[in-house]
Amino acid sequence: MLIIFAAVLLLTIGACTPDDNIGEIFIDRQWTLTYIREGSVQYDNRGKKYSVQFTDDGFTATSPSGVAINGKWEANGKTRRFHCWNLQTTGSLEGDTIAGKMLKIFTEATSYSGDTNWLHINKDKNTYMQFGNN
């Protein structure tokens, strides 16, 4: 009986990984942009704080220039699909290359990868944003 209990407990713990828990990865966690990758080109944040915070009903990404990107999002923990819609910006994107690239990737996002320590929002295999957990 003890062996059966231990086996069930092990299977239960193994099935609950943070990688599949959308709430743990996204909700009420502030992520700081590390860099944006477009093919072989990498855009660093240059020590400036670009961040994104997801909630149950949307997200807000902010830049040091005052640009804010707001929208709705959904993610699937099994397929790792990620999609944004209803995107709106406040502030001027002019002169803020990083914020402009963030908006483009959020607009065209198809998937995510990561866990509670790091997060990629992917447009495709070679174009993504990498965030670190604060």
Side-chain angles (χ1 to χ4, degrees), residues 18-19 21-22 24-27 29-37 51-54 59 73 75 80-82 84 105-106 111-122 128-134:
D19 296 66
N21 188 330
I22 298 301
E24 246 184 71
I25 294 172
F26 289 95
I27 306 296
R29 182 179 302 277
Q30 185 165 352
W31 292 98
T32 300
L33 181 71
T34 308
Y35 63 87
I36 293 176
R37 168 80 62 186
S51 63
V52 63
Q53 184 157 1
F54 297 93
F59 73 91
W73 67 280
R80 296 195 179 255
R81 302 287 298 158
F82 183 86
C84 297
I105 293 172
F106 279 126
S111 64
Y112 79 93
S113 55
D115 54 29
T116 57
N117 297 309
W118 65 275
L119 176 65
H120 278 188
I121 302 295
N122 308 306
Y128 58 87
M129 299 181 279
Q130 178 173 300
F131 294 90
N133 186 12
N134 289 347

Coordinates of all heavy atoms in Angstrom, one line a residue, residues 18-19 21-22 24-27 29-37 51-54 59 73 75 80-82 84 105-106 111-122 128-134:
P18 N 6.1 23.9 -13.2 CA 5.8 25.4 -13.4 C 5.8 25.7 -14.8 O 5.2 26.7 -15.2 CB 6.9 26.1 -12.6 CG 7.9 25.1 -12.2 CD 7.2 23.7 -12.4
D19 N 6.4 25.0 -15.7 CA 6.4 25.3 -17.1 C 5.0 25.2 -17.7 O 4.8 25.9 -18.7 CB 7.3 24.2 -17.9 CG 8.8 24.3 -17.5 OD1 9.0 24.0 -16.3 OD2 9.6 24.7 -18.3
N21 N 2.2 25.8 -15.9 CA 1.3 26.6 -15.1 C 1.3 28.0 -15.6 O 2.1 28.8 -15.2 CB 1.7 26.5 -13.6 CG 0.6 27.1 -12.7 OD1 -0.1 28.0 -13.1 ND2 0.5 26.6 -11.5
I22 N 0.3 28.4 -16.4 CA 0.2 29.7 -17.0 C 0.2 30.8 -15.9 O 0.8 31.8 -15.9 CB -1.0 29.8 -17.9 CG1 -0.8 28.9 -19.1 CG2 -1.2 31.3 -18.4 CD1 0.4 29.1 -19.9
E24 N 1.3 30.7 -12.8 CA 2.6 30.9 -12.2 C 3.6 31.7 -13.0 O 4.4 32.5 -12.5 CB 3.2 29.5 -11.8 CG 3.3 29.3 -10.3 CD 4.0 28.0 -10.0 OE1 5.2 27.9 -10.3 OE2 3.3 27.1 -9.6
I25 N 3.6 31.4 -14.3 CA 4.5 32.0 -15.2 C 4.2 33.5 -15.5 O 5.0 34.4 -15.5 CB 4.7 31.2 -16.5 CG1 5.3 29.8 -16.3 CG2 5.5 32.0 -17.6 CD1 5.2 28.9 -17.4
F26 N 2.9 33.7 -15.8 CA 2.5 35.1 -16.3 C 1.9 36.0 -15.2 O 2.2 37.1 -15.1 CB 1.5 34.9 -17.4 CG 2.2 34.4 -18.7 CD1 2.1 33.0 -19.0 CD2 2.8 35.3 -19.6 CE1 2.7 32.6 -20.2 CE2 3.3 34.8 -20.7 CZ 3.3 33.4 -21.0
I27 N 0.9 35.5 -14.5 CA 0.0 36.4 -13.7 C 0.7 37.1 -12.6 O 1.4 36.5 -11.8 CB -1.2 35.6 -13.2 CG1 -1.9 34.8 -14.3 CG2 -2.2 36.5 -12.4 CD1 -2.6 35.7 -15.3
R29 N 3.2 38.9 -12.3 CA 4.7 38.8 -12.2 C 5.2 39.9 -13.1 O 4.8 40.0 -14.3 CB 5.1 37.4 -12.7 CG 6.6 37.2 -12.6 CD 7.0 35.8 -13.1 NE 6.3 34.8 -12.3 CZ 6.7 34.3 -11.2 NH1 7.8 34.7 -10.6 NH2 6.1 33.3 -10.6
Q30 N 6.1 40.7 -12.6 CA 6.7 41.7 -13.5 C 8.0 41.2 -14.1 O 8.9 40.7 -13.5 CB 7.1 43.0 -12.7 CG 7.6 44.1 -13.7 CD 7.6 45.4 -13.1 OE1 7.1 45.6 -12.0 NE2 8.2 46.4 -13.7
W31 N 8.0 41.2 -15.5 CA 9.2 40.8 -16.2 C 9.9 42.0 -16.8 O 9.3 42.9 -17.3 CB 8.7 39.9 -17.4 CG 8.1 38.6 -17.0 CD1 6.7 38.3 -16.9 CD2 8.7 37.4 -16.7 NE1 6.5 37.1 -16.5 CE2 7.8 36.5 -16.3 CE3 10.1 37.1 -16.6 CZ2 8.1 35.2 -16.0 CZ3 10.4 35.8 -16.2 CH2 9.4 34.8 -15.9
T32 N 11.3 41.9 -16.7 CA 12.1 42.9 -17.3 C 12.8 42.4 -18.6 O 13.4 41.3 -18.6 CB 13.2 43.3 -16.2 OG1 12.6 43.8 -15.1 CG2 14.1 44.4 -16.8
L33 N 12.7 43.3 -19.6 CA 13.3 42.9 -20.9 C 14.8 42.8 -20.8 O 15.4 43.7 -20.3 CB 12.9 43.9 -22.0 CG 13.4 43.7 -23.4 CD1 12.7 42.5 -24.0 CD2 13.3 44.9 -24.2
T34 N 15.3 41.7 -21.3 CA 16.8 41.5 -21.3 C 17.3 41.9 -22.7 O 18.3 42.7 -22.8 CB 17.1 40.0 -21.1 OG1 16.5 39.6 -19.9 CG2 18.6 39.8 -21.0
Y35 N 16.7 41.4 -23.8 CA 17.0 41.7 -25.1 C 15.9 41.3 -26.1 O 15.0 40.5 -25.7 CB 18.4 41.2 -25.6 CG 18.4 39.6 -25.6 CD1 18.0 38.9 -26.7 CD2 18.9 38.9 -24.5 CE1 18.1 37.6 -26.8 CE2 18.9 37.5 -24.5 CZ 18.5 36.9 -25.7 OH 18.6 35.5 -25.7
I36 N 16.0 41.8 -27.3 CA 15.2 41.4 -28.4 C 16.1 40.8 -29.5 O 17.1 41.4 -29.8 CB 14.3 42.5 -29.0 CG1 13.3 43.0 -27.9 CG2 13.6 42.1 -30.3 CD1 12.5 44.2 -28.3
R37 N 15.7 39.7 -30.0 CA 16.5 39.0 -31.1 C 15.6 39.0 -32.4 O 14.5 38.6 -32.4 CB 16.8 37.6 -30.7 CG 17.3 36.7 -31.7 CD 18.8 36.9 -32.0 NE 19.6 36.6 -30.9 CZ 20.9 36.8 -30.8 NH1 21.5 37.3 -31.9 NH2 21.6 36.5 -29.8
S51 N 9.7 46.8 -19.3 CA 9.1 45.7 -18.5 C 7.7 45.4 -19.0 O 7.1 46.2 -19.8 CB 9.1 46.0 -17.0 OG 8.3 47.2 -16.8
V52 N 7.2 44.3 -18.6 CA 5.8 43.9 -18.9 C 5.2 43.2 -17.7 O 5.9 42.4 -17.0 CB 5.7 43.0 -20.2 CG1 6.4 41.6 -20.0 CG2 4.3 42.7 -20.6
Q53 N 4.0 43.5 -17.4 CA 3.3 42.8 -16.3 C 1.9 42.3 -16.9 O 1.2 43.0 -17.5 CB 3.0 43.7 -15.2 CG 2.4 43.0 -14.0 CD 2.6 43.7 -12.7 OE1 3.2 44.8 -12.6 NE2 2.1 43.2 -11.6
F54 N 1.7 41.0 -16.7 CA 0.5 40.3 -17.1 C -0.5 40.2 -15.9 O -0.1 40.0 -14.8 CB 0.8 38.9 -17.6 CG 1.7 38.9 -18.8 CD1 3.1 38.8 -18.7 CD2 1.2 39.0 -20.1 CE1 3.9 38.8 -19.8 CE2 2.0 39.0 -21.2 CZ 3.4 38.9 -21.1
F59 N -2.4 42.9 -20.2 CA -1.0 43.2 -19.9 C -0.7 44.6 -20.2 O -1.3 45.3 -21.0 CB 0.0 42.2 -20.7 CG 0.1 42.6 -22.1 CD1 1.1 43.4 -22.6 CD2 -0.7 42.0 -23.1 CE1 1.3 43.7 -23.9 CE2 -0.6 42.3 -24.4 CZ 0.4 43.2 -24.8
W73 N -4.2 39.1 -23.8 CA -3.3 37.9 -24.1 C -4.0 36.6 -23.7 O -4.9 36.6 -22.9 CB -2.0 38.1 -23.4 CG -2.1 37.9 -21.9 CD1 -2.5 38.9 -21.0 CD2 -1.9 36.8 -21.1 NE1 -2.5 38.4 -19.7 CE2 -2.1 37.1 -19.8 CE3 -1.4 35.5 -21.5 CZ2 -2.0 36.1 -18.8 CZ3 -1.3 34.6 -20.4 CH2 -1.5 34.9 -19.1
A75 N -2.5 32.3 -23.4 CA -1.4 31.3 -23.6 C -2.0 29.9 -23.3 O -2.9 29.8 -22.5 CB -0.3 31.6 -22.6
R80 N 2.0 25.7 -25.7 CA 2.9 26.9 -25.6 C 2.5 28.0 -26.6 O 3.4 28.8 -27.0 CB 4.4 26.6 -25.6 CG 4.7 25.7 -24.4 CD 6.2 25.6 -24.3 NE 6.5 24.8 -23.1 CZ 6.9 25.3 -22.0 NH1 7.1 26.6 -21.8 NH2 7.2 24.5 -21.0
R81 N 1.3 27.9 -27.1 CA 0.8 29.0 -28.0 C 0.6 30.3 -27.2 O 0.2 30.2 -26.0 CB -0.5 28.6 -28.7 CG -0.4 27.3 -29.5 CD 0.3 27.4 -30.8 NE -0.4 28.3 -31.7 CZ 0.3 28.9 -32.7 NH1 1.5 28.6 -33.0 NH2 -0.4 29.7 -33.5
F82 N 0.9 31.4 -27.8 CA 0.7 32.7 -27.1 C 0.2 33.7 -28.2 O 0.7 33.7 -29.3 CB 2.1 33.2 -26.6 CG 2.0 34.5 -25.8 CD1 1.6 34.5 -24.5 CD2 2.2 35.7 -26.5 CE1 1.5 35.7 -23.8 CE2 2.1 36.9 -25.8 CZ 1.8 36.9 -24.4
C84 N -1.7 37.8 -28.6 CA -2.1 39.1 -28.1 C -3.1 39.7 -29.1 O -3.0 39.5 -30.3 CB -0.9 40.0 -27.9 SG 0.3 39.4 -26.8
I105 N 6.4 42.5 -32.0 CA 6.4 41.1 -31.5 C 5.1 40.8 -30.8 O 4.6 39.7 -31.0 CB 7.7 40.8 -30.7 CG1 8.9 40.9 -31.6 CG2 7.6 39.4 -30.0 CD1 10.3 40.8 -30.9
F106 N 4.7 41.7 -29.9 CA 3.4 41.4 -29.3 C 2.3 41.2 -30.3 O 1.4 40.3 -30.2 CB 3.0 42.5 -28.3 CG 3.6 42.4 -26.9 CD1 4.3 43.5 -26.4 CD2 3.5 41.2 -26.2 CE1 4.9 43.4 -25.2 CE2 4.1 41.1 -24.9 CZ 4.8 42.2 -24.4
S111 N 4.0 32.1 -29.9 CA 4.3 31.2 -28.8 C 5.1 31.8 -27.7 O 5.5 32.9 -27.8 CB 5.0 30.0 -29.4 OG 6.3 30.4 -29.9
Y112 N 5.3 31.0 -26.6 CA 6.1 31.5 -25.5 C 7.0 30.3 -25.1 O 6.7 29.1 -25.4 CB 5.3 32.0 -24.3 CG 4.7 30.8 -23.5 CD1 5.4 30.4 -22.4 CD2 3.5 30.3 -23.8 CE1 4.9 29.3 -21.6 CE2 3.0 29.2 -23.0 CZ 3.7 28.8 -22.0 OH 3.2 27.7 -21.2
S113 N 8.0 30.5 -24.4 CA 8.8 29.5 -23.8 C 9.4 30.1 -22.5 O 9.5 31.3 -22.4 CB 10.0 29.0 -24.7 OG 10.8 30.0 -25.2
G114 N 9.8 29.2 -21.6 CA 10.4 29.7 -20.4 C 9.7 29.1 -19.2 O 9.0 28.1 -19.3
D115 N 9.9 29.7 -18.0 CA 9.4 29.3 -16.8 C 9.3 30.5 -15.8 O 9.1 31.6 -16.3 CB 10.3 28.2 -16.2 CG 11.7 28.6 -16.0 OD1 12.0 29.8 -15.8 OD2 12.6 27.7 -16.1
T116 N 9.3 30.3 -14.5 CA 9.2 31.4 -13.6 C 10.4 32.3 -13.5 O 10.4 33.3 -12.8 CB 8.7 30.9 -12.2 OG1 9.7 30.0 -11.7 CG2 7.4 30.3 -12.3
N117 N 11.5 31.9 -14.1 CA 12.8 32.7 -14.1 C 13.1 33.5 -15.3 O 13.7 34.5 -15.3 CB 13.9 31.8 -13.8 CG 13.8 31.1 -12.4 OD1 13.6 31.8 -11.4 ND2 13.9 29.8 -12.4
W118 N 12.7 33.0 -16.5 CA 12.9 33.7 -17.7 C 11.7 33.4 -18.7 O 11.0 32.4 -18.5 CB 14.2 33.2 -18.4 CG 14.3 31.8 -18.8 CD1 14.6 30.7 -18.0 CD2 14.0 31.3 -20.1 NE1 14.5 29.6 -18.7 CE2 14.1 29.9 -20.0 CE3 13.6 31.8 -21.3 CZ2 13.9 29.0 -21.1 CZ3 13.3 31.0 -22.3 CH2 13.5 29.6 -22.2
L119 N 11.5 34.3 -19.6 CA 10.4 34.1 -20.5 C 10.7 34.7 -21.9 O 11.3 35.7 -22.0 CB 9.2 35.0 -20.0 CG 7.9 35.0 -20.8 CD1 7.3 33.7 -20.9 CD2 7.0 36.0 -20.2
H120 N 10.4 33.9 -22.9 CA 10.5 34.3 -24.3 C 9.1 34.5 -24.8 O 8.3 33.6 -24.7 CB 11.2 33.3 -25.2 CG 12.7 33.3 -25.1 ND1 13.4 32.5 -26.0 CD2 13.6 34.0 -24.4 CE1 14.7 32.7 -25.7 NE2 14.8 33.6 -24.7
I121 N 8.8 35.6 -25.5 CA 7.6 35.8 -26.3 C 8.1 35.8 -27.7 O 8.9 36.6 -28.1 CB 6.9 37.2 -26.0 CG1 6.6 37.3 -24.5 CG2 5.7 37.3 -26.9 CD1 5.6 36.3 -24.0
N122 N 7.6 34.8 -28.4 CA 8.2 34.5 -29.8 C 7.3 34.9 -30.9 O 6.1 34.6 -30.9 CB 8.4 33.0 -29.9 CG 9.2 32.4 -28.8 OD1 10.3 32.9 -28.5 ND2 8.7 31.4 -28.1
Y128 N 12.2 37.1 -31.2 CA 11.6 36.9 -29.9 C 12.1 38.0 -28.9 O 13.1 38.7 -29.2 CB 11.8 35.5 -29.3 CG 13.3 35.2 -29.2 CD1 14.0 35.5 -28.0 CD2 14.0 34.5 -30.2 CE1 15.4 35.2 -27.9 CE2 15.3 34.1 -30.1 CZ 16.0 34.5 -28.9 OH 17.3 34.1 -28.8
M129 N 11.4 38.2 -27.8 CA 11.8 39.0 -26.7 C 12.2 38.1 -25.6 O 11.4 37.2 -25.3 CB 10.7 39.9 -26.3 CG 10.2 40.9 -27.3 SD 8.9 42.0 -26.7 CE 7.5 40.9 -26.8
Q130 N 13.3 38.4 -24.9 CA 13.6 37.6 -23.7 C 13.5 38.5 -22.5 O 13.9 39.6 -22.4 CB 15.0 37.1 -23.7 CG 15.4 36.3 -22.4 CD 16.7 35.6 -22.5 OE1 16.9 34.8 -23.3 NE2 17.6 36.0 -21.6
F131 N 12.8 38.0 -21.5 CA 12.5 38.7 -20.2 C 13.1 37.9 -19.1 O 13.1 36.7 -19.1 CB 11.0 38.9 -20.0 CG 10.3 39.8 -21.0 CD1 9.8 39.2 -22.1 CD2 10.3 41.1 -20.7 CE1 9.1 40.0 -23.0 CE2 9.6 42.0 -21.7 CZ 9.1 41.4 -22.8
G132 N 13.6 38.6 -18.0 CA 14.0 38.0 -16.8 C 13.0 38.4 -15.7 O 12.4 39.4 -15.8
N133 N 13.0 37.6 -14.7 CA 12.1 37.8 -13.6 C 12.7 38.8 -12.6 O 13.9 38.6 -12.2 CB 11.7 36.5 -12.9 CG 10.7 36.7 -11.8 OD1 10.1 37.7 -11.7 ND2 10.5 35.6 -11.0
N134 N 12.0 39.7 -12.1 CA 12.6 40.7 -11.1 C 12.6 40.0 -9.8 O 11.8 39.4 -9.3 CB 11.7 41.9 -11.0 CG 11.8 42.8 -12.2 OD1 12.7 42.6 -13.0 ND2 10.9 43.7 -12.4

